[in-house]
Amino acid sequence: MDPVQLLSGAFLLVGGFFFVAGTVGLIRLPDRFSRLHALTKADNVGLGFIVLGLMPMAPDLFYGLKLVLVWLLVVIAGATGAHLIAKRALRGDGEDVR
């Protein structure tokens, strides 16, 4: 196994760790803003590490750029979704207000 594959595997493991940490945060944190923070931050960082881990395995530069584009789109979509959820929660017009 060459060093590039080892580094790639390490990035994939770190990315998986961040995904698991985000999921644990979703389950364990007390309020919706904390859960939202855990999901958006940890999952975006986790996906970034997974993209870094997959980049050396890409057959050419085009596939690598597609991976980066997917990551950027997910980051933008995650930030937009989190903003909308937080904005609605701050207004207090959600169905789950007790």
Side-chain angles (χ1 to χ4, degrees):
M1 199 178 248
D2 65 350
V4 173
Q5 287 180 334
L6 287 175
L7 189 64
S8 177
F11 281 142
L12 291 174
L13 285 176
V14 171
F17 169 77
F18 275 101
F19 272 114
V20 170
T23 303
V24 169
L26 175 67
I27 294 170
R28 300 288 309 230
L29 291 176
D31 61 4
R32 71 181 79 165
F33 297 111
S34 300
R35 284 183 254 148
L36 195 60
H37 176 75
L39 269 183
T40 56
K41 302 302 182 230
D43 284 355
N44 286 336
V45 171
L47 184 60
F49 274 111
I50 287 180
V51 166
L52 279 177
L54 291 175
M55 291 284 279
M57 298 179 196
D60 60 9
L61 184 62
F62 180 68
Y63 287 101
L65 290 176
K66 283 173 46 175
L67 285 171
V68 171
L69 181 64
V70 166
W71 178 59
L72 287 175
L73 290 175
V74 169
V75 166
I76 291 169
T80 303
H83 174 76
L84 292 174
I85 292 170
K87 188 175 174 181
R88 184 165 187 232
L90 284 175
R91 281 191 293 176
D93 61 349
E95 300 101 28
D96 58 347
V97 175
R98 295 176 198 167

